[in-house]
Amino acid sequence: MEFIKYEVEGAVGVITIDRPKALNALNSAVLAELDATLDAVDLAAVRCLILTGSGEKSFVAGADIGEMSTLTKAEGEAFGKKGNDVFRKLETLPIPVIAAVNGFALGGGCEISMSCDIRICSDNAVFGQPEVGLGITPGFGGTQRLARLVGPGMAKQMIYTARNIKADEALRIGLVNAVYPLAELMPAAKKMAAGIAKNAPIAVRNCKKAINEGLEAGMDEAVVIEEKLFGDCFESYDQKEGMAAFLEKRKVEAFLNK
Ligand code: DAK
């Protein structure tokens, strides 16, 4: 891989987008490598992923403007689909993904962070959807996920004005969950990931599915989605061990993902 680094530490995988010359901007090659990396994650061993960017300045500075500049309408739509397919794969991956946003998260960078389950950022992070200033719409899910995350009023303001926001404002509007000094971002992400990884994997996976799928449904349908995923946890080794440990006043020995 030229642009994606993937490392596994214990049960936590760290994906780093590594294209420093372009501040980690997403071109077709980066998207293809990210897609292949997600396909290769060992879901039996890895229980949480962290997505970050290389360097100390940028998470992802957007889709690659040079590559997009000469696209036809049909090619633009195809490029949007390529990004959307990878981002959707990330969003629906059976394990949680934490975006550790270490700098610029503009356009496609903001969008990829929103495809992750949880966003935390460094204090130098900058978020924004600058696309209308470039003559295009957000094309990797920004019009959809930003409105769902921060509400339509704030999303429309950010998208129509193309104004970037800093980490403190991102925190205030709920786009990120926490802000850290840059040096503390990855340790914090790893600590959170390890905390997730020690919980029962089938239950965590079903929670992700229930939240994601429930948000797309009306409440009557959403509670049925939850019921089924709740029921699915029973008779598993991990459910029996988790409850036995409580009843026997001891610590869980290990969740075995079965
Ligand atoms: N694409 C390509 N190269 C980029 C880039 C980008 N998005 N962002 C930065 N770079 C490159 C710069 O061109 C520069 O390259 P060299 O000139 O050194 O060769 C290098 O990275 C360093 O950048 P700067 O010299 O500009 O660094 P500064 O610190 O001065 O500024 C910056 C940092 C992040 C403020 C600035 O680079 C910047 O404004 N970058 C562009 C940010 C941006 O507008 N991002 C949004 C891109 S639009 C769609 C699909 C997808 C999308 C839309 C539609 N469909 C097909 C429907 C998504 C769109 C976007 O993401």
Side-chain angles (χ1 to χ4, degrees), residues 7-245:
E7 291 166 339
V8 177
E9 298 170 22
V12 175
V14 180
I15 297 177
T16 305
I17 298 174
D18 183 30
R19 194 184 169 220
K21 279 189 199 150
L23 301 182
N24 306 324
L26 304 171
N27 61 12
S28 296
V30 177
L31 290 172
E33 288 190 13
L34 182 58
D35 192 42
T37 302
L38 294 176
D39 285 342
V41 171
D42 178 359
L43 295 171
V46 176
R47 296 185 181 178
C48 189
L49 285 179
I50 297 169
L51 179 71
T52 194
S54 70
E56 301 196 332
K57 181 173 170 183
S58 183
F59 171 67
V60 171
D64 190 289
I65 299 172
E67 184 174 334
M68 286 191 296
S69 62
T70 56
L71 299 182
T72 62
K73 282 183 194 294
E75 288 165 343
E77 198 175 322
F79 185 65
K81 178 166 169 39
K82 194 179 285 183
N84 275 331
D85 287 351
V86 182
F87 287 19
R88 191 75 182 125
K89 189 175 279 185
L90 190 61
E91 187 169 48
T92 58
L93 209 67
I95 55 175
V97 186
I98 300 168
V101 179
N102 57 318
F104 292 112
L106 302 176
C110 186
E111 290 169 306
I112 198 170
S113 80
M114 294 190 291
S115 304
C116 298
D117 294 273
I118 294 165
R119 283 150 298 288
I120 59 175
C121 73
S122 53
D123 49 14
N124 66 331
V126 176
F127 293 82
Q129 297 289 160
E131 286 88 348
V132 295
L134 296 164
I136 55 175
T137 66
F140 291 158
T143 57
Q144 304 309 309
R145 294 193 181 92
L146 189 60
R148 283 166 170 78
L149 267 172
V150 304
M154 188 57 77
K156 286 177 175 177
Q157 182 179 327
M158 280 180 67
I159 290 171
Y160 299 167
T161 64
R163 184 178 68 86
N164 293 341
I165 62 170
K166 293 183 178 166
D168 56 347
E169 192 172 353
L171 179 66
R172 187 175 60 74
I173 66 173
L175 185 53
V176 298
N177 292 4
V179 181
Y180 298 91
L182 183 59
E184 291 170 26
L185 178 66
M186 281 310 285
K190 287 179 181 177
K191 189 173 173 199
M192 188 189 294
I196 291 169
K198 78 171 176 40
N199 289 322
I202 295 169
V204 172
R205 181 170 73 216
N206 284 6
C207 289
K208 173 166 178 169
K209 205 168 156 60
I211 294 169
N212 281 358
E213 293 183 7
L215 280 172
E216 305 304 319
M219 189 55 81
D220 286 330
E221 197 189 325
V223 292
V224 174
I225 291 170
E226 186 187 72
E227 283 158 22
K228 289 192 185 313
L229 289 161
F230 172 71
D232 180 63
C233 296
F234 287 84
E235 300 178 52
S236 66
Y237 172 88
D238 289 346
Q239 174 260 325
K240 290 187 202 304
E241 167 61 12
M243 293 192 177

